[in-house]
Each structure stands twice: as structure tokens, then as C-alpha cells.
Amino acid sequence: MAGDSFFITKDFDAQVVKTVLRRKWWVLLVSILTFTGIAFFILRYSKPVYESTMLIQLADSDQARDLLDIENINSTNSNFNANLELLRSQLLFERALQKMNAHVSLFQEGKILTEEKYTSSCFNVSTVQLKDSSLINIPIYVNLQGNNLELTYDFQNKTKRVKGFANGHLVNEDFDVVLNVMDRATMEKILKNDKLFFAFNSIGSLSSKFSSNLSVNPMDPNAQTIELRFAAYNPYFCADLLNSLANTFFNFELDIKRKGNENVLLFIDQQLDSLSQELENSKDSLVFFQRQSNLADPEAIGSNLTENVIKLQDQLYEIEDELNGLNKVASKLTKEPNRLEIYRLLPEMLGKSYQLSLSKQIEELYEMLERKENLLYSVTEENPEIKSLTLRISMKTEGIRKTIVFLQNRLAENANVLRSKIGSIQNDIFKIPEKKMEYGRLKNIQDLNDKYFSLLTEKKVMYAISNAGYSSSNRILSKAMVQSNPINPNRNQIYGAFIGFGFFFGFIILFIAYVRYNEVNSVDDLKKILPPNLSYLGTVPLLKESMDYSELLVYDSPKSIISEAMRNIRANMSFVFPDYKTIAISSSVSGEGKTFVSLNLAAIIAMSGKKTVLIDLDLRKPKIHLALKASNKIGMSNALVNQKTWQECVQNSNVENLHFLTAGPVPPNPSELILSKKMAEILEELGTIYDVIVIDNPPVGVVSDGVQLLAKADIPIYVFKANYSKRSYAERVEELVDVQHITKLNLILNGEIRNRRSYGYNYEYYSDEPAPKSFLSRIFKI
């Protein structure tokens, strides 16, 4: 049927837009309200995420450098990136958690959400001893039993209970805790609806869980400023963790520096103790030799040779000392060097000729080892960065070894040259008395010991001054604060987004309704979709009153707007066919008002003085007798089967000159009766008696009975109803024009809305029509 065709509006039609908006404006409102409700429930049952921020600055204060021009090795200016990595490390994160005493978490479990209370709980738990570590993360529920407490938990396929008193020890084979109740009234109120429980934590697990929420960003490397951000469900936990992390970082730096300083000073003290003993021994040996040999002024003999030997021996001693130092460094450079051992090599190179060329490489190796050790707290040996770092350490170690070999060779050559020179001079000294030579040897040993003792003492004093003058000026520029507004979910953004979605979704529904809009609104719509050669007789306005079936309004209300519309149609028919005799009225489907138009048009014609007969040929579902309040026991069906004559079936109406023939009992073969010769004979006989014959045809969109009568009628009329008839019904009209060759078809638009007033009437055509649609169906009606 034409009404089942799929129709799409392709061109913009302002009238359709207005109609869709007038009918379905509430769709947009419902869509917005629905999505706003969804946003409300999302916000209601989503855990808010809070974020705290902190700004710290790394700085050194070195008064020794400022006053004495002594550079301090504690300076952190060159280790900005290392400090960033330290702040991001899991090692520091775990230490911060330990300082926060995060071994126990407190929770409030509601019907939908479970909230971690942290410091805002009405109770807290102090862990005296956790005897079984497998109890970690197991919820332990807290209940009140009068004045006592009861802990309940499921562990190792058993339900365990521990009873005790508030603020006292609760002990069993798994743990020993003290549960302090700060607000018993609040606790009792909460336990009426929700559950309270606590759980033991693993610092390592907490670190793995929360470390990814930490963001460490360099703000200004030149100013040594770093921004810390941390997000979690509890705002107090966020602020406390950042403050703990900053304090842990500062203390960690101080501890590392303190241990390094202690190691350097310990090494110097050990060297000084050894040299002090050797110096005393050399002095005693020299004095004893002078007394024994009676040498009052031994320097006067062979002083020049002795001085040369002393100088050469000094040089040789320094070279041998440096060689010993290089050998010691080489012995520490194993395939897997120890970071602490490498760190201890740095003080041993103080004052050596190779200090500049080797100490920097040793420092770089130490930093690599430290970086690797820090990474191993959070990753495994198979991590690509660990492998890369191991390769770089190996390469750096090999480079240092090559440098050491080169330095050893060079120093060995220098030592050989000095030994050769010393040997040559000593050959000359052999001529000097043995006592003088012995004196010179002992004096040389004493001078060397004294020299190195003074050197180490000077180094110790300088290091002590430098260390005393240094102080860390790391400071918190912006302390972490407790934030009351969550960063997620963002209420304004979510409400805005969902309202936008609601508006968009509603707009899409309205757009689909516009595109799929398939109803006729006005005569202009008909002119757009129907063949241009059809005639338009006029429109019938939509009435305010609702009727169960068609009524004869033009007789009851001759001055009404309906009467005027019918008179206008009557006048237009005179222009179309001045001497019209038969009028056949049909439509596509039921409910378009063809019976209403037939009844009132016949009445208005009769009121003009023409003798008129109205025939109800809708034999399946007759309605004329209802409108005229007449009997339908006999009618056209009886006349067509020759049970009665049409004269016996015709009835008079209250309208002068208007007679009517009801449909009569429903026959089994209405199509055959309407298309029979008897029908043609009756119409011919009626034409001899009546001036005008008005035929209420069956709807041709449902059945084809009335097509022949439309074709034979002087004025065939096709009725559309505004805001009811589908635009796709135009296909049936085109078929009547093109196939049935009803080229003189005339159109009437029924139910037109005028002046924005809502006139209306309702009546059904067939009782087997679809039932009214449900609310949801009407919402999404296209």
C-alpha cells in the first residue's frame, strides 16, 4: 500500500520544521534531561580524584667557596637530572610511605562505593605486630557489641573473630593491634548502614599502586625548581604523601653526603695515623744515628749530591706512590665493580698527577653504578635500560683500564729514568763516608714522611673547612595543600558534555523526524508532491471538538467555518464542472475524513436547492447511518443483490432535498457488488430523479472497489487530511492519474490548521486499525 512506502524529505521545508518542532519539542527536553540524569548518576557514584601539588628548589650554600675559594664536592648543581630520577624512584616513594606509617588503611564500605577514610575515620589502628604477612590486603571488619569490639575476617578458608575492648590490644595468632575509637557515636551511626574495615598494607604493593600517580616535572633547570604532583581518592593522603616525599628526599640527600664525608675523613685519618708513626720512627732513627756516629753537621759533606739524590728520590717516591695508587684502582675495576669501592677510590687520587684525567672517569662510572642500583629497585635485569646501562658500565670500565695501563707505562718509564739517575749519583756518593750516606738516607726518609704528613694534614683541614662551610639550601617553595575540589570527575565539564550530548541526541532525533517526516501539512505540500494538472477544490479546517464519528455540521451550524469551507468547495466545483451530476469521494486510507466531507458536501449542495442523494458505498465499514442517526438494516447491499429496490432503501434526512442510501448489511463480496451492472443501473435511475449524486467510496489506498466509480464520476474527489495523510500516498494518486487515466481528479485537504488554532475531530474507519502507540513509541515516532 502507498502508506507503507519509505519517504525521505530531501529539500528544506520551513513548514515541516515548524511542525516537527511543535510536535516533538519535548524530545529535545527529554533527551537533555535524560543525559543530565546520567551525568548526575555518574558523578554520584564515581569516586572523586584529588590532586596536590608542590614546588621545591634545589640549592647549595657554600661559604668556604665564597670566602676561601675552595670548591665543595657536595654541590648538587650538576646533578639536577639525577635528583629528578631520585624523586621518581620507587626507593624514595617507599621510604616516604614508611614515614607516613601507611601500614594500615581504613575503609568505609557502602552499598555501591567503598571509600578509604585515611585520617578522617572515626577510628584508627596501630600495628603492634603482624605475625602472618599473608594477611596483607585481607579486609578485617570492625563491629560493635555493646561496649566491646569484634573483628571479623576470612582467612585461610576460615572465618576468624577477635573480641576485645576499644583502645586496647586485640590479639590472636595472626596479629596484635590496638584499635582506638575517637568518636563512638559516629561509629555506631555509620555501622547502621555501612561497614567499617581495615587492611594491612605492603609498602611495596602500595608503592606499585600509587607511584604511577606521581608526576615529577622540571619547572626551570636554571633555577633548579621541580614541581611534584600526586593524585589519589583522598585529598589528605595526597598532601601528606607529597610532604613526606619532599622531606624524605631532603634527608636522603643529607644522609648520602654525610656518609660520603665520613668515609673521606676516615680515609685521611687512617693515612695520617700511619704516616705519623712512620715519621716518629724516622726521626728517632736519625737522632739515634747522629748520636751513635757523632755527626754534628753531616749536611756540609756532599750536600750537593745529597740534595740531588733527595730530589730524584722524591720524584721516584711520588711516581712509585702513584703507581701503587694506580694498581689499587686497577684491582677495584672488576667485571662487576662495586659502587662503594669505586666511590672510595676518589679520595685516594687526591693530589695525584693523574687526578684530572682519571677522577672524572671514576665519577662517571660511580654515577652509572648508582643509576643502575636505583633502577634495580623498580625493574629487573632484563629491562632494556638496565642492559644498556650495564653495557655502558662495561665500556667505561674498559676505558678506565686502558687509561690506567697507559699511565702505568708512562710512570714506569719515568721511574726507570729516575732510578738510572739516582744510581749514577749514588756511585758518586759511595766515595763519601758511609756514615754521611746513612745520615742522608735517614734524613731523606724523615723529610719525605714529614712532607706527606703535612700534605695530608693540609688536605684534611681544607676538606673540613669546605664541609663545614657547606649547607643544603633545598627548600619547599610551595607546600602541598589539601584540595577540596577534585580534578576528576570535573562536574562542570561532565554536565556540560552530557547536556551537549543530550542536545545533540535530541537534535538527531528531530533531524531524523524531519527527514522521515511523511505527513501532508498544507495545500502547498500537495502541490509539491502531486501532478501539476490536478485541481484543488479547497480545504476543510480542523475543528476543536472531538467526535466519535462524522457529523452533519453544516446543517447544525450553517454559519460555522466548516459551512463556509463547504460552500467554497461547492462554488469551486461549479467552475470545474458546471453541470456536474455525480460526485465520487475517496481517500487513501481510513481516518482522512472522506465520509465527513461526503456527508457535509452533500448537505451543503442540498441546502442550495438541488435535490441530492448521498450513497454509502463503503460496504465493509459503513458510517453514513451513524452520522444521520438512521437504521442500516437495509441499504445498497440489499439493492445490489435484488433483495430490495433502491426506492425501498432510500431514506430522508433532516436536511431538505437531501436523501441518502445507507450501505446496508455487510455483504461477503463487496467488490463484485460495487463493480456489478446493477450498480450502474441504480446510478442511472438515480440520475433521472436527483440533481446530484454524492458517492462515499471505499478508500482506494486500501481496496480498489471505488476506482471505477471515480473514473466515471463527473467530479472525482480525493481527500487528504493535514498532519495525518502520508506524503507517500501521492504514489496512489499518480497511479490513478497515469494508470487509471483519471485526469480530472480533484483534491480536498481536510483538517487544515488555521491561525495556529487547534481544531480537531477523531473518528475511526475500521475497528481493526492498529491500537494507539505506547508512550515510548510516540517519543521515537518517525
Side-chain angles (χ1 to χ4, degrees):
M1 190 179 74
D4 297 329
S5 301
F6 188 82
F7 188 85
I8 294 180
T9 303
K10 298 179 180 179
D11 300 324
F12 176 77
D13 192 325
Q15 184 61 38
V16 173
V17 172
K18 292 179 181 178
T19 302
V20 171
L21 290 177
R22 184 180 69 250
R23 292 184 180 181
K24 297 183 178 295
W25 60 268
W26 50 270
V27 171
L28 191 62
L29 179 62
V30 169
S31 178
I32 292 175
L33 292 178
T34 300
F35 277 88
T36 302
I38 294 173
F40 171 79
F41 282 103
I42 289 176
L43 293 172
R44 173 66 178 82
Y45 296 108
S46 294
K47 283 187 177 181
V49 177
Y50 300 86
E51 183 182 64
S52 289
T53 60
M54 171 181 282
L55 189 64
I56 63 174
Q57 185 178 43
L58 308 180
D60 296 330
S61 176
D62 195 350
Q63 297 179 3
R65 181 181 59 189
D66 297 338
L67 297 176
L68 304 176
D69 196 23
I70 300 174
E71 187 68 28
N72 196 292
I73 66 172
N74 290 323
S75 176
T76 60
N77 291 333
S78 61
N79 295 326
F80 183 70
N81 292 331
N83 285 321
L84 285 176
E85 295 304 321
L86 178 61
L87 283 167
R88 296 188 182 113
S89 68
Q90 194 164 358
L91 168 67
L92 199 68
F93 200 89
E94 288 181 1
R95 292 191 178 187
L97 288 173
Q98 288 175 346
K99 288 191 175 181
M100 291 174 62
N101 193 23
H103 299 283
V104 177
S105 294
L106 312 178
F107 299 93
Q108 179 176 334
E109 180 181 340
K111 295 181 180 178
I112 296 179
L113 296 179
T114 298
E115 179 183 3
E116 183 174 357
K117 301 304 290 183
Y118 190 51
T119 57
S120 60
S121 178
C122 57
F123 73 99
N124 63 42
V125 177
S126 301
T127 304
V128 178
Q129 183 182 9
L130 179 59
K131 302 175 184 178
D132 192 340
S133 61
S134 59
L135 194 62
I136 287 174
N137 295 328
I138 299 296
I140 302 175
Y141 290 90
V142 180
N143 296 298
L144 288 175
Q145 290 188 341
N147 295 324
N148 299 334
L149 289 175
E150 181 184 54
L151 304 183
T152 307
Y153 61 99
D154 294 329
F155 185 55
Q156 296 177 345
N157 298 322
K158 296 180 181 178
T159 299
K160 298 189 176 183
R161 302 179 187 276
V162 183
K163 295 183 178 180
F165 298 97
N167 307 324
H169 285 262
L170 296 167
V171 185
N172 70 350
E173 66 277 7
D174 297 326
F175 56 78
D176 180 1
V177 299
V178 175
L179 196 149
N180 300 305
V181 178
M182 285 81 71
D183 190 341
R184 189 179 186 88
T186 301
M187 189 174 187
E188 291 176 348
K189 183 178 179 182
I190 292 174
L191 287 174
K192 290 180 179 179
N193 300 313
D194 297 338
K195 297 179 181 179
L196 296 174
F197 69 91
F198 66 91
F200 297 103
N201 295 322
S202 166
I203 296 299
S205 298
L206 282 180
S207 178
S208 300
K209 177 181 178 181
F210 290 114
S211 59
S212 59
N213 297 352
L214 175 66
S215 175
V216 180
N217 302 308
M219 297 298 292
D220 187 351
N222 294 326
Q224 300 277 298
T225 53
I226 300 174
E227 182 191 52
L228 305 178
R229 289 180 174 270
F230 182 75
Y233 294 128
N234 192 294
Y236 297 94
F237 180 72
C238 293
D240 289 351
L241 188 135
L242 281 186
N243 292 324
S244 177
L245 186 68
N247 293 330
T248 303
F249 169 70
F250 295 152
N251 293 333
F252 184 85
E253 286 285 291
L254 292 175
D255 290 342
I256 292 295
K257 292 179 177 66
R258 179 179 55 80
K259 291 179 180 179
N261 296 342
E262 290 175 353
N263 291 334
V264 172
L265 291 174
L266 179 61
F267 172 79
I268 294 177
D269 287 338
Q270 290 174 349
Q271 296 296 317
L272 286 174
D273 290 342
S274 176
L275 282 174
S276 176
Q277 187 61 41
E278 291 183 8
L279 182 59
E280 289 297 327
N281 292 337
S282 62
K283 288 181 179 180
D284 292 342
S285 299
L286 184 60
V287 172
F288 178 77
F289 178 76
Q290 283 181 307
R291 290 176 180 175
Q292 188 180 26
S293 303
N294 295 319
L295 292 175
D297 189 13
E299 287 81 5
I301 303 173
S303 59
N304 292 333
L305 292 176
T306 303
E307 288 176 0
N308 291 336
V309 170
I310 291 173
K311 290 178 181 180
L312 294 175
Q313 286 179 340
D314 288 344
Q315 296 176 16
L316 181 60
Y317 186 85
E318 290 178 0
I319 290 174
E320 290 176 346
D321 182 67
E322 290 185 351
L323 279 171
N324 291 333
L326 285 175
N327 292 334
K328 188 172 182 180
V329 172
S331 67
K332 302 297 184 181
L333 293 173
T334 61
K335 290 184 178 180
E336 295 183 359
N338 183 275
R339 179 180 65 84
L340 185 58
E341 294 295 334
I342 295 301
Y343 183 81
R344 290 175 178 173
L345 292 176
L346 293 174
E348 296 180 7
M349 291 185 289
L350 294 173
K352 301 295 192 297
S353 62
Y354 51 80
Q355 179 179 358
L356 294 178
S357 60
L358 198 58
S359 61
K360 184 176 181 180
Q361 297 186 58
I362 296 295
E363 290 176 355
E364 292 176 352
L365 177 60
Y366 171 76
E367 291 175 356
M368 292 181 187
L369 291 171
E370 184 182 36
R371 169 65 178 159
K372 179 179 179 181
E373 183 176 335
N374 289 337
L375 281 176
L376 285 174
Y377 281 104
S378 56
V379 299
T380 65
E381 291 284 351
E382 298 302 319
N383 186 273
E385 187 174 354
I386 291 294
K387 290 182 177 181
S388 173
L389 200 55
T390 303
L391 180 60
R392 290 169 55 197
I393 290 171
S394 177
M395 294 174 64
K396 177 60 70 176
T397 305
E398 186 61 26
I400 295 173
R401 286 200 189 99
K402 291 180 179 180
T403 303
I404 291 173
V405 171
F406 171 78
L407 294 172
Q408 286 175 331
N409 293 336
R410 189 182 66 181
L411 290 174
E413 291 177 0
N414 293 339
N416 291 333
V417 172
L418 289 175
R419 290 190 186 97
S420 177
K421 289 182 180 180
I422 291 172
S424 177
I425 296 174
Q426 284 178 344
N427 289 333
D428 295 335
I429 296 177
F430 285 153
K431 299 176 183 179
I432 301 173
E434 185 178 350
K435 291 182 179 180
K436 291 183 180 181
M437 292 176 61
E438 182 64 18
Y439 177 83
R441 185 183 69 80
L442 295 174
K443 182 63 175 176
N444 183 34
I445 293 174
Q446 178 187 344
D447 292 341
L448 286 175
N449 288 334
D450 186 60
K451 175 182 177 180
Y452 281 102
F453 185 84
S454 299
L455 177 64
L456 286 176
T457 302
E458 180 183 357
K459 292 291 184 181
K460 179 180 179 181
V461 172
M462 291 178 63
Y463 192 89
I465 293 174
S466 174
N467 195 45
Y470 170 83
S471 63
S472 175
S473 297
N474 296 337
R475 51 186 170 268
I476 297 175
L477 301 181
S478 176
K479 187 177 179 181
M481 305 297 292
V482 176
Q483 300 297 326
S484 58
N485 296 322
I487 60 169
N488 185 38
N490 188 308
R491 301 183 66 87
N492 294 333
Q493 288 183 358
I494 289 180
Y495 272 122
F498 273 82
I499 290 174
F501 289 150
F503 180 84
F504 178 76
F505 185 74
F507 176 79
I508 291 297
I509 294 177
L510 293 178
F511 178 75
I512 294 174
Y514 168 79
V515 172
R516 293 289 309 279
Y517 189 80
N518 194 20
E519 295 180 5
V520 175
N521 290 320
S522 63
V523 174
D524 292 335
D525 289 343
L526 292 177
K527 290 179 179 180
K528 292 177 183 177
I529 61 178
L530 294 176
N533 57 336
L534 300 183
S535 300
Y536 294 88
L537 296 179
T539 61
V540 178
L542 189 66
L543 291 180
K544 182 178 181 181
E545 295 82 6
S546 176
M547 298 179 291
D548 295 330
Y549 47 83
S550 299
E551 294 182 6
L552 189 61
L553 297 181
V554 296
Y555 178 75
D556 297 332
S557 304
K559 296 183 179 180
S560 67
I561 189 171
I562 288 292
S563 300
E564 291 300 325
M566 289 300 172
R567 292 188 185 96
N568 182 61
I569 294 172
R570 182 184 65 189
N572 289 337
M573 287 193 303
S574 299
F575 289 104
V576 172
F577 199 107
D579 299 323
Y580 61 87
K581 190 76 174 179
T582 57
I583 302 171
I585 302 174
S586 186
S587 64
S588 298
V589 294
S590 63
E592 293 181 287
K594 67 175 182 60
T595 300
F596 178 81
V597 172
S598 301
L599 177 65
N600 287 277
L601 184 60
I604 206 70
I605 293 173
M607 291 169 66
S608 68
K610 291 184 178 182
K611 192 174 182 180
T612 306
V613 61
L614 173 63
I615 303 175
D616 188 355
L617 280 187
D618 195 349
L619 302 182
R620 295 174 180 81
K621 292 294 180 182
K623 293 288 172 53
I624 293 294
H625 66 284
L626 296 175
L628 296 174
K629 298 179 177 57
S631 173
N632 193 38
K633 291 182 179 180
I634 59 173
M636 283 299 296
S637 61
N638 304 101
L640 291 174
V641 296
N642 294 315
Q643 290 180 352
K644 299 286 185 179
T645 64
W646 67 266
Q647 290 85 352
E648 294 176 316
C649 298
V650 71
Q651 301 182 54
N652 296 326
S653 70
N654 294 331
V655 181
E656 186 179 359
N657 296 322
L658 177 62
H659 298 167
F660 63 94
L661 285 166
T662 64
V666 178
N669 56 343
S671 296
E672 288 76 6
L673 294 180
I674 293 174
L675 300 176
S676 65
K677 291 182 179 181
K678 184 65 176 177
M679 182 72 225
E681 293 175 359
I682 293 176
L683 288 177
E684 186 176 354
E685 293 178 10
L686 289 172
T688 60
I689 298 175
Y690 292 96
D691 298 326
V692 178
I693 301 171
V694 180
I695 303 172
D696 182 13
N697 271 5
V700 296
V702 179
V703 293
S704 59
D705 305 346
V707 174
Q708 183 176 338
L709 292 175
L710 282 176
K712 293 181 179 181
D714 295 332
I715 300 181
I717 297 176
Y718 205 95
V719 177
F720 284 86
K721 184 177 180 181
N723 301 309
Y724 183 87
S725 299
K726 307 302 179 185
R727 298 187 179 199
S728 55
Y729 295 170
E731 297 176 6
R732 181 57 171 159
V733 176
E734 291 175 355
E735 181 183 346
L736 293 175
V737 174
D738 298 335
V739 179
Q740 305 295 336
H741 302 291
I742 308 178
T743 57
K744 54 182 180 179
L745 193 65
N746 300 272
L747 302 176
I748 291 178
L749 180 63
N750 182 34
E752 182 191 41
I753 299 176
R754 297 183 179 180
N755 299 326
R756 299 182 182 179
R757 293 179 60 190
S758 180
Y759 305 93
Y761 59 90
N762 297 318
Y763 52 89
E764 297 181 355
Y765 185 77
Y766 292 111
S767 62
D768 56 351
E769 285 187 348
K773 295 184 179 180
S774 66
F775 175 73
L776 290 177
S777 300
R778 293 197 303 272
I779 289 180
F780 297 103
K781 177 183 176 183
I782 304 300

